[in-house]
C-alpha cells in the first residue's frame, strides 16, 4: 500500500529536504536559519525511526515502504551534508565518504538481493552505530551555535569524522559478508 501512515511519514521526510537546504537561501538571520534547518532535520530523523516502528506495529509493511524508506534516508543525509559542505561546516572528504558509502552499499544490497543473498548484507550493529553518529552530528553541525556553553559545532565535527570512520568500517564489514558470494559469482 502506497498511502498509509508509515509511508506518509517517509514522504514527510522527503518533503522536509527542501526546507533543510532552502532555509539557508532565505533572508533570515543565521541563527534562525540554523534553528529551522536543525528542527526540520530532527523531525525527519525522528520520522525515520518512527515510520519503521509504526509499519511493524500496525502490520503496514510494504515493498514500496521498504524501497522508499532508505531512499528518503539517503536523500536527507546527502542533502544536509552537501549544505554543510557549502556552509563550510564540514569537510568535503567526510561528506564524500558517507555519501559514497551509501551509494556503494545500496548498490551492493540491490545486487545481493538480485542474487537471492540479501541476508548476507542485512543491517548490522556497526551500521546502526554509524547512523546514530551521523544523525547526531548533522543536527549539531546545522545548529552550529554554542548551546549553554557547549561548543556544538566542534562536537558535531568530531562526530561527523567518527561517523565517517564508522562508515568505512561498516562498508568493509558489508563487503566482507558479501565477498564469498561475489567470488562465487565472478569465478
Amino acid at each position: 500500500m502506497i498511502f498509509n501512515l508509515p509511508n506518509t511519514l517517509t514522504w514527510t521526510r522527503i518533503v522536509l529536504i527542501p526546507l533543510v537546504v532552502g532555509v539557508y537561501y532565505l533572508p533570515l538571520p543565521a541563527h534562525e536559519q540554523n534553528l529551522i534547518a536543525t528542527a526540520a532535520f530532527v523531525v525527519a530523523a525522528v520520522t525515520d525511526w518512527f515510520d519503521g516502528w509504526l509499519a511493524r506495529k500496525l502490520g503496514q509493511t510494504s515493498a514500496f515502504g521498504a524501497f522508499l524508506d532508505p531512499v528518503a534516508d539517503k536523500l536527507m543525509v546527502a542533502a544536509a551534508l552537501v549544505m554543510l559542505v557549502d556552509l563550510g561546516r564540514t569537510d568535503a572528504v567526510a561528506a564524500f565518504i558517507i555519501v559514497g558509502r551509501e551509494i556503494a552499499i545500496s548498490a551492493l544490497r540491490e545486487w545481493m538481493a538480485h542474487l537471492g543473498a540479501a541476508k548476507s548484507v542485512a543491517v548490522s550493529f556497526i551500521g546502526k552505530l554509524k547512523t546514530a553518529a551521523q544523525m547526531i552530528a548533522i543536527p549539531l553541525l546545522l545548529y552550529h551555535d554554542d548551546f549553554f556553553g557547549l561548543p556544538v559545532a566542534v562536537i558535531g565535527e568530531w562526530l561527523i569524522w567518527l561517523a565517517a570512520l564508522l562508515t568505512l568500517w561498516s562498508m568493509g564489514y558489508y563487503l566482507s559478508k558479501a565477498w564469498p558470494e561475489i567470488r562465487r559469482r565472478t569465478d
Side-chain angles (χ1 to χ4, degrees):
M1 172 183 274
I2 292 178
F3 294 105
N4 58 31
L5 185 54
N7 287 348
T8 301
L9 289 173
T10 303
W11 280 112
T12 300
R13 197 156 62 252
I14 293 170
V15 169
L16 287 170
I17 294 169
L19 180 59
V20 170
V21 173
V23 72
Y24 288 103
Y25 295 96
L26 296 176
L28 297 170
H31 179 73
E32 287 180 29
Q33 291 172 331
N34 294 342
L35 193 57
I36 293 167
T38 302
F41 189 89
V42 168
V43 166
V46 169
T47 67
D48 178 26
W49 174 82
F50 199 55
D51 63 2
W53 177 82
L54 210 52
R56 289 183 296 278
K57 179 101 170 139
L58 299 175
Q60 294 181 341
T61 58
S62 66
F64 181 74
F67 155 76
L68 190 62
D69 182 63
V71 170
D73 298 346
K74 281 142 188 60
L75 286 173
M76 187 65 168
V77 167
L81 287 171
V82 167
M83 198 68 241
L84 289 168
V85 169
D86 186 56
L87 293 168
R89 295 182 185 178
T90 198
D91 195 281
V93 173
F96 175 76
I97 289 169
I98 293 169
V99 173
R101 178 263 188 208
E102 295 301 335
I103 293 167
I105 297 305
S106 292
L108 178 66
R109 284 193 173 123
E110 173 87 16
W111 185 53
M112 296 303 282
H114 178 72
L115 298 177
K119 289 187 189 238
S120 64
V121 286
V123 176
S124 70
F125 175 74
I126 191 68
K128 290 180 181 188
L129 199 56
K130 177 267 315 173
T131 299
Q134 76 186 22
M135 293 307 222
I136 295 168
I138 291 171
L140 294 176
L141 291 167
L142 288 169
Y143 187 74
H144 205 255
D145 300 322
D146 285 357
F147 188 73
F148 293 109
L150 285 173
V152 168
V154 173
I155 296 167
E157 192 63 23
W158 278 96
L159 281 173
I160 205 70
W161 279 107
L162 174 62
L165 288 172
L166 291 170
T167 293
L168 292 172
W169 185 4
S170 69
M171 187 164 109
Y173 173 82
Y174 291 126
L175 287 172
S176 73
K177 290 294 186 182
W179 189 249
E181 191 66 30
I182 292 169
R183 285 191 49 129
R184 193 171 77 74
R185 300 290 179 147
T186 56
D187 284 344

